[in-house]
PDB file of all heavy atoms in Angstrom:
ATOM      1  N   PHE M  62      -9.452  -7.576  13.525  1.00 98.00           N
ATOM      2  CA  PHE M  62      -9.168  -7.759  12.093  1.00 98.00           C
ATOM      3  C   PHE M  62      -9.818  -9.040  11.547  1.00 98.00           C
ATOM      4  O   PHE M  62     -10.012  -9.174  10.352  1.00 98.00           O
ATOM      5  CB  PHE M  62      -7.650  -7.794  11.839  1.00 98.00           C
ATOM      6  CG  PHE M  62      -7.022  -6.439  11.952  1.00 98.00           C
ATOM      7  CD1 PHE M  62      -6.004  -6.191  12.866  1.00 98.00           C
ATOM      8  CD2 PHE M  62      -7.459  -5.392  11.147  1.00 98.00           C
ATOM      9  CE1 PHE M  62      -5.438  -4.928  12.974  1.00 98.00           C
ATOM     10  CE2 PHE M  62      -6.896  -4.134  11.249  1.00 98.00           C
ATOM     11  CZ  PHE M  62      -5.887  -3.902  12.166  1.00 98.00           C
ATOM     12  N   ALA M 116     -25.007   1.641  -4.088  1.00 98.00           N
ATOM     13  CA  ALA M 116     -23.832   2.151  -4.799  1.00 98.00           C
ATOM     14  C   ALA M 116     -22.619   2.220  -3.859  1.00 98.00           C
ATOM     15  O   ALA M 116     -21.514   1.781  -4.214  1.00 98.00           O
ATOM     16  CB  ALA M 116     -24.138   3.518  -5.394  1.00 98.00           C
ATOM     17  N   ARG M 132      -5.479  -9.155   5.347  1.00 98.00           N
ATOM     18  CA  ARG M 132      -5.342  -9.690   6.707  1.00 98.00           C
ATOM     19  C   ARG M 132      -4.896 -11.155   6.658  1.00 98.00           C
ATOM     20  O   ARG M 132      -3.954 -11.551   7.349  1.00 98.00           O
ATOM     21  CB  ARG M 132      -6.685  -9.553   7.439  1.00 98.00           C
ATOM     22  CG  ARG M 132      -6.698  -9.741   8.921  1.00 98.00           C
ATOM     23  CD  ARG M 132      -6.461 -11.157   9.421  1.00 98.00           C
ATOM     24  NE  ARG M 132      -7.598 -12.037   9.249  1.00 98.00           N
ATOM     25  CZ  ARG M 132      -7.548 -13.359   9.334  1.00 98.00           C
ATOM     26  NH1 ARG M 132      -6.392 -13.977   9.565  1.00 98.00           N
ATOM     27  NH2 ARG M 132      -8.620 -14.100   9.172  1.00 98.00           N
ATOM     28  N   ARG M 195     -14.742 -10.057 -26.355  1.00 95.00           N
ATOM     29  CA  ARG M 195     -15.370  -8.728 -26.482  1.00 95.00           C
ATOM     30  C   ARG M 195     -16.783  -8.853 -27.053  1.00 95.00           C
ATOM     31  O   ARG M 195     -17.719  -8.256 -26.531  1.00 95.00           O
ATOM     32  CB  ARG M 195     -14.516  -7.819 -27.365  1.00 95.00           C
ATOM     33  CG  ARG M 195     -15.070  -6.409 -27.411  1.00 95.00           C
ATOM     34  CD  ARG M 195     -14.215  -5.475 -28.207  1.00 95.00           C
ATOM     35  NE  ARG M 195     -13.901  -6.043 -29.513  1.00 95.00           N
ATOM     36  CZ  ARG M 195     -12.857  -5.668 -30.248  1.00 95.00           C
ATOM     37  NH1 ARG M 195     -12.020  -4.774 -29.802  1.00 95.00           N
ATOM     38  NH2 ARG M 195     -12.643  -6.206 -31.425  1.00 95.00           N
ATOM     39  N   VAL M 204     -21.087  -1.355 -27.506  1.00 97.00           N
ATOM     40  CA  VAL M 204     -21.928  -1.456 -26.304  1.00 97.00           C
ATOM     41  C   VAL M 204     -23.326  -0.958 -26.661  1.00 97.00           C
ATOM     42  O   VAL M 204     -23.475   0.132 -27.217  1.00 97.00           O
ATOM     43  CB  VAL M 204     -21.318  -0.623 -25.148  1.00 97.00           C
ATOM     44  CG1 VAL M 204     -22.241  -0.601 -23.946  1.00 97.00           C
ATOM     45  CG2 VAL M 204     -19.954  -1.178 -24.759  1.00 97.00           C
ATOM     46  N   ILE M 215     -26.000 -11.159 -15.770  1.00 98.00           N
ATOM     47  CA  ILE M 215     -24.811 -11.550 -14.987  1.00 98.00           C
ATOM     48  C   ILE M 215     -24.892 -10.945 -13.583  1.00 98.00           C
ATOM     49  O   ILE M 215     -24.638 -11.612 -12.581  1.00 98.00           O
ATOM     50  CB  ILE M 215     -23.511 -11.085 -15.697  1.00 98.00           C
ATOM     51  CG1 ILE M 215     -23.352 -11.827 -17.016  1.00 98.00           C
ATOM     52  CG2 ILE M 215     -22.292 -11.316 -14.814  1.00 98.00           C
ATOM     53  CD1 ILE M 215     -22.229 -11.316 -17.895  1.00 98.00           C
ATOM     54  N   VAL M 228     -19.281 -18.481  -1.225  1.00 98.00           N
ATOM     55  CA  VAL M 228     -19.171 -18.066   0.176  1.00 98.00           C
ATOM     56  C   VAL M 228     -19.466 -19.265   1.079  1.00 98.00           C
ATOM     57  O   VAL M 228     -18.766 -19.500   2.074  1.00 98.00           O
ATOM     58  CB  VAL M 228     -20.127 -16.882   0.491  1.00 98.00           C
ATOM     59  CG1 VAL M 228     -20.257 -16.677   1.992  1.00 98.00           C
ATOM     60  CG2 VAL M 228     -19.635 -15.598  -0.160  1.00 98.00           C
ATOM     61  N   ILE M 278     -21.879   3.772   8.667  1.00 98.00           N
ATOM     62  CA  ILE M 278     -21.020   4.362   7.626  1.00 98.00           C
ATOM     63  C   ILE M 278     -21.781   4.407   6.298  1.00 98.00           C
ATOM     64  O   ILE M 278     -21.780   5.423   5.595  1.00 98.00           O
ATOM     65  CB  ILE M 278     -19.710   3.551   7.485  1.00 98.00           C
ATOM     66  CG1 ILE M 278     -18.861   3.678   8.742  1.00 98.00           C
ATOM     67  CG2 ILE M 278     -18.912   4.000   6.266  1.00 98.00           C
ATOM     68  CD1 ILE M 278     -17.586   2.856   8.748  1.00 98.00           C
ATOM     69  N   LEU M 316      -1.604  -0.496 -18.130  1.00 91.00           N
ATOM     70  CA  LEU M 316      -1.774  -0.883 -19.546  1.00 91.00           C
ATOM     71  C   LEU M 316      -1.258   0.187 -20.501  1.00 91.00           C
ATOM     72  O   LEU M 316      -0.797  -0.117 -21.598  1.00 91.00           O
ATOM     73  CB  LEU M 316      -3.249  -1.144 -19.844  1.00 91.00           C
ATOM     74  CG  LEU M 316      -3.826  -2.465 -19.352  1.00 91.00           C
ATOM     75  CD1 LEU M 316      -5.320  -2.530 -19.642  1.00 91.00           C
ATOM     76  CD2 LEU M 316      -3.123  -3.634 -20.009  1.00 91.00           C
ATOM     77  N   GLU M 402      -3.417  24.478 -23.942  1.00 88.00           N
ATOM     78  CA  GLU M 402      -2.045  24.895 -24.290  1.00 88.00           C
ATOM     79  C   GLU M 402      -1.180  23.688 -24.632  1.00 88.00           C
ATOM     80  O   GLU M 402      -0.400  23.702 -25.585  1.00 88.00           O
ATOM     81  CB  GLU M 402      -1.423  25.659 -23.110  1.00 88.00           C
ATOM     82  CG  GLU M 402      -1.932  27.085 -23.005  1.00 88.00           C
ATOM     83  CD  GLU M 402      -1.651  27.714 -21.636  1.00 88.00           C
ATOM     84  OE1 GLU M 402      -0.969  27.078 -20.794  1.00 88.00           O
ATOM     85  OE2 GLU M 402      -2.142  28.825 -21.422  1.00 88.00           O
TER      86      GLU M 402
END
Side-chain angles (χ1 to χ4, degrees):
F62 286 121
R132 194 290 285 165
R195 185 177 50 202
V204 174
I215 295 172
V228 166
I278 293 177
L316 283 176
E402 283 163 5

